[in-house]
Each structure stands twice: as C-alpha cells, then as structure tokens.
C-alpha cells in the first residue's frame, strides 16, 4: 500500500468527499483500516445504524484506486460495500426481498445524483435456527448486500449520501424528517 502522502489527487479528493459528516444522526461512521491487497490505494468506512438505541444494521464502504485503471471497473476508482441487517422472520422468506434490497442501493445513489457505471452485486437472505449447545435464542433472519460500482463523477459526498440512504432503508428507518408511527407520542385528547 502506498503512503497516503504520495496518494494521487483523484484519490485524495475522493477520500475528502467520503469524510463528509454522516447524513443522518442514526448512522455512526468511523474510518477503519482498509484491505491492503485489493488496490494500490484504499480507504474504508464502517457504519453502525441505530434505531431506538439498538444496532439494526451495519456496513462497510471501501474506496479503491488503481491509477492505471482497471478494465472490469471501467475506471480507476471503485466503491465496494457490504451491508448487513437483521430481519423480521417473515421477511427472510419473501421472494421479492432481494430485488427490493437491490433497489435500495440503486435508488439511494440515483436520488443523490451519485453517477455510476459497472454496478454489480449480490443480495443474500438467510434464516438461522440454533441447536444443541448453541440452542437458545429464537431463530434469526439476516439480509446481506454486497455490491460495487465505479463512480463517474467527482462528487463522492453524493455517493456517501446514497450509500447512507441504502443503509437507512435496510435498517427500516423512516425517510429524513418523517417520524415512524412507533416513534410518535399520542397527543392528549382535548
């Protein structure tokens, strides 16, 4: 991995855009050590999504830079993500969930004008039941989204906002400025 002080300008501009403040207070962003062998330059963020004080989703966003370009990326910068969330058990078997979860990513990027190309990924839904010495908790269900895309504009803050929008949807957060019914307090009758 090359020294950050010797990083190309395209990479340092992209990192600066990704270091923008979290678009939502429910999403805690933290810089983490990036993978070392995927590209000469890399930067990574982790995210924890909280709802009512409980962690409901988590994710990583990794920026890769290959100054010479990469044929499969169709560019020299690539964003890679992994997002996971616990689901309600009935959603784990919903056959439409993978397609809906994929649109959370593409819609998030599109809504924030985060231009991209060469997008690809997988959506996995799992249900787990514990037995024997591991028995105990009720069965759990999880969603995992793995994706990567090549940004085609220099506005990396838009990509961060689009990714955070996907995290919000995955976690079941209401849109910004909208309170969920469970968060509202009833007004006294008068």
């Amino acid at each position: 991995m090359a020294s950050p002080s010797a990083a190309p300008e395209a990479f340092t501009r992209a990192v600066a855009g990704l270091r923008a403040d979290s678009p939502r207070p429910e999403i805690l962003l933290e810089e983490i050590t990036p993978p070392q062998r995927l590209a000469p330059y890399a930067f990574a963020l982790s995210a924890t999504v909280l709802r009512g004080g409980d962690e409901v989703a988590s994710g990583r966003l990794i920026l890769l830079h290959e100054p010479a370009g990469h044929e499969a990326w169709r560019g020299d910068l690539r964003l890679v993500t992994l997002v996971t969330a616990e689901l309600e058990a009935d959603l784990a078997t919903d056959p439409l969930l993978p397609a809906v979860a994929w649109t959370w990513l593409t819609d998030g990027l599109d809504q924030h004008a985060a231009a991209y190309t060469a997008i690809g990924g997988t959506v996995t839904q799992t249900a787990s039941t514990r037995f024997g010495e591991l028995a105990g908790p009720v069965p759990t269900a999880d969603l995992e989204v793995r994706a990567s895309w090549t940004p085609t504009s220099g506005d990396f803050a838009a990509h961060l906002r689009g990714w955070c929008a996907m995290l919000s949807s995955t976690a079941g957060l209401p849109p910004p400025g909208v309170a969920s019914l469970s968060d509202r307090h009833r007004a006294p009758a008068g």
Side-chain angles (χ1 to χ4, degrees):
M1 183 87 145
S3 161
S5 62
E9 185 179 343
F11 179 73
T12 57
R13 276 195 320 262
V15 169
L18 294 175
R19 283 184 169 144
D21 290 342
S22 174
R24 293 190 67 155
E26 304 95 327
I27 301 175
L28 307 175
L29 296 176
E30 179 182 8
E31 290 184 29
I32 58 173
T33 303
Q36 299 296 307
R37 295 185 199 104
L38 298 177
Y41 301 92
F43 173 80
L45 292 171
S46 71
T48 303
V49 184
L50 302 173
R51 188 175 60 217
D54 295 325
E55 182 178 327
V56 292
S58 63
R60 290 188 308 250
L61 182 64
I62 301 166
L63 170 67
L64 303 175
H65 179 54
E66 175 59 65
H70 193 288
E71 186 177 332
W73 298 355
R74 293 189 228 153
D76 61 356
L77 293 162
R78 187 81 172 161
L79 288 167
V80 180
T81 190
L82 166 66
V83 172
T84 59
E86 191 170 319
L87 298 171
E88 294 178 18
D90 58 330
L91 288 178
T93 57
D94 186 336
L96 299 178
L97 181 62
V100 170
W102 185 254
T103 64
W104 292 336
L105 173 60
T106 58
D107 287 353
L109 293 172
D110 294 343
Q111 288 168 359
H112 292 280
Y116 59 88
T117 191
I119 193 168
T122 61
V123 176
T124 306
Q125 56 199 108
T126 60
S128 301
T129 304
R130 298 173 184 228
F131 296 95
E133 295 294 320
L134 295 178
V138 295
T140 60
D142 296 293
L143 176 72
E144 178 182 275
V145 180
R146 292 178 181 264
S148 63
W149 63 96
T150 298
T152 57
S153 74
D155 187 358
F156 280 80
H159 287 273
L160 177 68
R161 289 188 301 273
W163 180 66
C164 286
M166 185 212 28
L167 279 165
S168 299
S169 295
T170 304
L173 296 179
V178 175
S180 70
L181 292 176
S182 62
D183 293 340
R184 292 186 179 188
H185 299 287
R186 296 184 107 173

